[in-house]
Amino acid sequence: MNDQQRVLLIIGGGIAAYKCLDLIRRLRDAGIAVRVILTKAGAEFVTPLSVASLAGDKVYGDLFSLTDESEMGHIRLSREASLVVMAPATADLIAKLANGLANDLASTALLATDKPVIVAPAMNARMWLHPATQRNVATLKGDGVTVIEPGAGALACGETGPGRMAEPDAILSVILDRLADAPRPLAGRHALVTAGPTWEAIDPVRYIANRSSGKQGYAIAEALARLGARTTLISGPTALDAPAGVERVCVESARDMLAATEAALPADVAVCVAAVSDWRAAVGGGQKLKKNGAPPSLELTENPDILTTLSRHNRQRPALVVGFAAETERVIAYAQDKLARKGCDWIVANDVSHDTGVMGGERNTVHLVTAEGVEDWPTASKSEVAARLATRIAGVFARKP
Ligand code: C5P
């Protein structure tokens, strides 16, 4: 299992950028992965090549790089990190963050993150002491950002005074403290998540599939792992990378998904998000169907229901079983029916009619349906929905031995 912590390091433009090379090395020595955004100004002081070699990863620099945005957008860069560090934080970067400006990769990633942010300022003493900078720093502190105060001494500009960036050792110790701080209420628990579509073979080249992207299920797996759960993600075919800290098992068909899910038991909690195909071809032939004469008729047979199997498991039922209900009409009524029929504890119901854009999209509007009633959650990003659900799950286990 990979539960490695990861720091997103934003290197700004300042002579102190050289200290970040040492910081990267120390972080990696401490077993922490490092991903770097090197600002344009930062790249005037350290080269992308030295940063990439030390980080062991490519360096991100340009918001509008098509390859970067398709491989790894600013949202993912900030979400996949355990925390974000900006060092050296220039007066300009601090001012942008304090005012919510976002016009390059560094500033958009900072604005998009939901993780702790640490900044290590470095600048000329007068710039640091300027009321505007001091106001901005106070705003950041008020926003919950950890500011590692710069030290006093000789500055690269020839003046003396406060403005020297903290040493890598000091920054590392603040990072380690913050990483240890992160609450892990699901530590010691095992979470199972199914996600994505299933593919049901019709013949060796054709299959039945659906529009599920896997995004919501992956976000839930990531959120559970972040709260400390050992998380197994049983995934149908998707275009997504495995989230940090999650053990992924890749499958194609519903029957494979069921086998992988049962093999992963016991689990404390199971969240079935996968859009499992209800049916498969009755005869998934070994040879490609030929186009001669009339179109063949496709006989279907029912697939096993993974959620029901888990909910009604007599030896290894997870303490909490959560299902999803994607509906295009009568969302709540169908969800309540599903709760009773499948025997799970909660149903997360959402409207997937075409105009909601939920399928494949980034946002979701859900209702949590339990035996106690229905909660309507506000529309939010799939990762926010995931974080909220993971926190609710952690609440259940906080009351269990
Ligand atoms: O019956 P329906 O497909 O609408 O139920 C949706 C819920 O059941 C989801 O949680 C889905 O992951 C789960 N399910 C399953 N196995 C199936 C069909 C649905 O686990 N074969």
Side-chain angles (χ1 to χ4, degrees):
M1 189 193 57
N2 169 23
D3 58 0
Q4 193 179 26
Q5 305 266 27
R6 179 185 287 149
V7 164
L8 175 65
L9 175 64
I10 298 174
I11 304 182
I15 189 80
Y18 77 89
K19 293 186 185 173
C20 287
L21 300 178
D22 196 25
L23 177 63
I24 296 170
R25 192 179 54 74
R26 284 165 196 257
L27 282 165
R28 294 200 65 205
D29 285 349
I32 298 165
V34 187
R35 209 167 246 160
V36 179
I37 295 179
L38 185 59
T39 66
K40 224 169 153 194
E44 299 290 336
F45 293 89
V46 289
T47 70
L49 187 58
S50 2
V51 174
S53 319
L54 286 164
D57 196 352
K58 67 170 285 192
V59 172
Y60 296 82
D62 184 358
L63 176 60
F64 298 110
S65 152
L66 280 180
T67 30
D68 283 1
E69 275 297 302
S70 55
E71 273 173 40
M72 174 78 63
H74 56 286
I75 308 284
R76 270 187 59 205
L77 269 173
S78 57
R79 297 286 160 81
E80 288 190 355
S82 320
L83 59 80
V84 183
V85 179
M86 174 157 66
T90 61
D92 177 60
L93 288 170
I94 288 172
K96 277 164 103 173
L97 181 56
N99 290 284
L101 297 182
N103 62 352
D104 57 17
L105 188 59
S107 51
T108 45
L110 281 163
L111 216 55
T113 191
D114 52 357
K115 305 296 164 41
V117 177
I118 297 171
V119 306
M123 65 195 76
N124 166 275
R126 279 177 202 273
M127 292 171 76
W128 172 250
L129 294 172
H130 193 284
T133 305
Q134 289 301 310
R135 219 170 28 242
N136 290 333
V137 168
T139 302
L140 292 190
K141 288 180 179 169
D143 290 346
V145 171
T146 304
V147 179
I148 309 178
E149 300 282 330
L155 302 172
C157 52
E159 297 182 12
T160 52
R164 285 171 68 94
M165 188 173 89
E167 293 304 313
D169 263 340
I171 302 176
L172 178 67
S173 89
V174 175
I175 293 172
L176 294 178
D177 279 348
R178 287 313 307 260
L179 289 176
D181 262 10
R184 293 168 75 77
L186 288 173
R189 308 286 182 178
H190 181 206
L192 253 180
V193 180
T194 69
T198 61
W199 286 2
E200 309 297 334
I202 296 170
D203 69 15
V205 295
R206 303 180 179 94
Y207 56 87
I208 303 169
N210 60 64
R211 292 185 192 278
S212 168
S213 64
K215 286 179 187 166
Q216 185 64 82
Y218 273 55
I220 289 167
E222 186 176 2
L224 290 166
R226 205 180 304 133
L227 295 190
R230 176 167 79 82
T231 305
T232 309
L233 171 64
I234 318 282
S235 174
T238 74
L240 305 173
D241 292 330
V246 166
E247 187 184 347
R248 179 170 65 171
V249 181
C250 294
V251 297
E252 278 201 357
S253 70
R255 287 187 294 176
D256 294 345
M257 188 173 274
L258 175 65
T261 305
E262 289 198 287
L265 291 172
D268 298 283
V269 52
V271 188
C272 293
V273 198
V276 183
S277 174
D278 292 317
W279 306 285
R280 65 176 184 276
V283 193
Q287 302 299 330
K288 186 180 168 193
L289 297 174
K290 300 304 290 175
K291 191 168 63 174
N292 35 18
S297 60
L298 187 58
E299 198 192 324
L300 299 176
T301 186
E302 200 165 338
N303 262 332
D305 191 303
I306 298 159
L307 177 61
T308 308
T309 309
L310 288 173
S311 301
R312 305 208 181 278
H313 212 284
N314 45 19
R315 283 175 301 105
Q316 292 188 305
R317 186 195 194 276
L320 181 69
V321 182
V322 184
F324 266 65
E327 304 290 354
T328 55
E329 57 174 345
R330 299 184 57 210
V331 176
I332 305 291
Y334 284 146
Q336 283 166 329
D337 170 64
K338 210 159 284 180
L339 191 70
R341 210 163 20 89
K342 302 212 181 199
C344 55
D345 304 296
W346 299 350
I347 286 276
V348 180
N350 58 350
D351 186 345
V352 292
S353 352
H354 190 63
D355 54 356
T356 61
V358 168
M359 277 307 221
E362 300 298 334
R363 296 179 75 74
N364 207 351
T365 311
V366 307
H367 314 270
L368 182 65
V369 181
T370 70
E372 279 82 53
V374 180
E375 282 174 33
D376 300 321
W377 288 7
T379 301
S381 67
K382 288 183 176 175
S383 53
E384 284 160 338
V385 169
R388 186 164 176 171
L389 184 65
T391 304
R392 285 298 292 267
I393 290 171
V396 170
F397 287 96
R399 297 188 294 273
K400 280 189 193 296

